[in-house]
Amino acid sequence: QQQVKQSPQSLIVQKGGISIINCAYENTAFDYFPWYQQFPGKGPALLIAIRPDVSEKKEGRFTISFNKSAKQFSLHIMDSQPGDSATYFCAASKEGSQGNLIFGKGTKLSVKP
Amino acid sequence: DAGVTQSPTHLIKTRGQQVTLRCSPISGHKSVSWYQQVLGQGPQFIFQYYEKEERGRGNFPDRFSARQFPNYSSELNVNALLLGDSALYLCASSLGQGAASYTFGSGTRLTVV
């Protein structure tokens, strides 16, 4: 059973465009929703995270939108740059889960110059 | 300040063999978690250790075991290796037990032939 579903699997965006990646979750007990960025040969690095008490969080060019009733959250990358080309993972966890992050399958983003 | 360090970076083993992977957390971090990332997939939780005790375990067979030492470093052991154990093994450290402050290492790439 896949608890966090991520789409699309891959995404090609022109430089300066907006990249949008979506995730849906099943477990309403989840209370922490991070996005990770991973470059080839590296471990995932935390980009931005949100808790369900807010509907949006922005950090620089990265924004998380959160819809609790729909059990969905998304990552928006504004003014996408070639250096943003990487694989992005959404994840979810619940308090008391002893650090168990449930990851989506990932989205490979390519930003064309 | 050093990040999470993992060793070795790459490893090739034969089916049936045993392997030990090592992780040194960020200084001051008392929690270490292990994840398996199969090519093209998101990381999957294996174990969490906090204050030298196992605090969480994912859905992995008993061939997988781990421990945490008094200096908070950790080892992941996998016995009776299968071809399907080929993956990137990631270590994440955090101050507490939750996933909110995870920092991942670059991982150990294990290939089983």
Side-chain angles (χ1 to χ4, degrees):
Chain A
Q1 183 184 16
Q2 188 182 352
Q3 296 192 56
V4 178
K5 294 183 180 180
Q6 183 172 346
S7 63
Q9 189 174 354
S10 63
L11 183 61
I12 300 174
V13 173
Q14 290 296 125
K15 179 182 175 182
I18 303 174
S19 304
I20 302 174
I21 306 171
N22 301 298
C23 277
Y25 63 97
E26 299 171 359
N27 190 339
T28 56
F30 288 150
D31 60 2
Y32 175 68
F33 302 90
W35 284 91
Y36 283 84
Q37 178 190 58
Q38 186 176 30
F39 293 104
K42 298 293 185 182
L46 179 65
L47 258 182
I48 186 171
I50 198 167
R51 301 245 180 218
D53 53 344
V54 296
S55 60
E56 186 175 281
K57 183 175 181 180
K58 183 176 181 179
E59 290 183 2
R61 295 184 296 111
F62 302 93
T63 299
I64 297 180
S65 296
F66 186 82
N67 186 329
K68 189 174 181 178
S69 60
K71 294 189 289 185
Q72 295 176 345
F73 59 110
S74 60
L75 176 69
H76 296 232
I77 306 175
M78 312 299 288
D79 188 25
S80 298
Q81 299 297 313
D84 296 331
S85 297
T87 300
Y88 292 80
F89 294 95
C90 63
S93 72
K94 59 181 179 178
E95 189 172 351
S97 65
Q98 309 308 324
N100 183 359
L101 268 177
I102 309 295
F103 282 85
K105 290 190 174 183
T107 296
K108 187 173 183 179
L109 172 66
S110 295
V111 182
K112 301 299 184 184
Chain B
D1 196 16
V4 178
T5 57
Q6 293 186 243
S7 63
T9 54
H10 295 84
L11 201 53
I12 300 175
K13 289 286 189 177
T14 304
R15 273 182 304 174
Q17 285 189 316
Q18 176 264 342
V19 68
T20 297
L21 311 181
R22 295 175 175 83
C23 173
S24 292
I26 290 173
S27 177
H29 283 193
K30 298 181 178 180
S31 174
V32 169
S33 297
W34 288 95
Y35 283 76
Q36 181 196 64
Q37 186 176 21
V38 173
L39 196 63
Q41 300 292 316
Q44 190 172 357
F45 176 71
I46 309 175
F47 286 112
Q48 186 195 46
Y49 277 76
Y50 178 72
E51 287 285 14
K52 291 152 281 183
E53 291 186 5
E54 181 184 306
R55 301 301 182 106
R57 173 184 284 254
N59 187 24
F60 279 81
D62 291 343
R63 299 184 296 106
F64 289 76
S65 64
R67 55 180 175 168
Q68 188 176 34
F69 299 99
N71 66 353
Y72 301 108
S73 67
S74 177
E75 287 182 350
L76 174 70
N77 296 283
V78 187
N79 293 322
L81 285 167
L82 303 174
L83 295 179
D85 295 331
S86 296
L88 180 69
Y89 287 85
L90 295 162
C91 172
S93 77
S94 58
L95 282 166
Q97 290 185 252
S101 59
Y102 266 179
T103 300
F104 281 90
S106 292
T108 294
R109 172 69 63 188
L110 172 64
T111 302
V112 182
V113 296

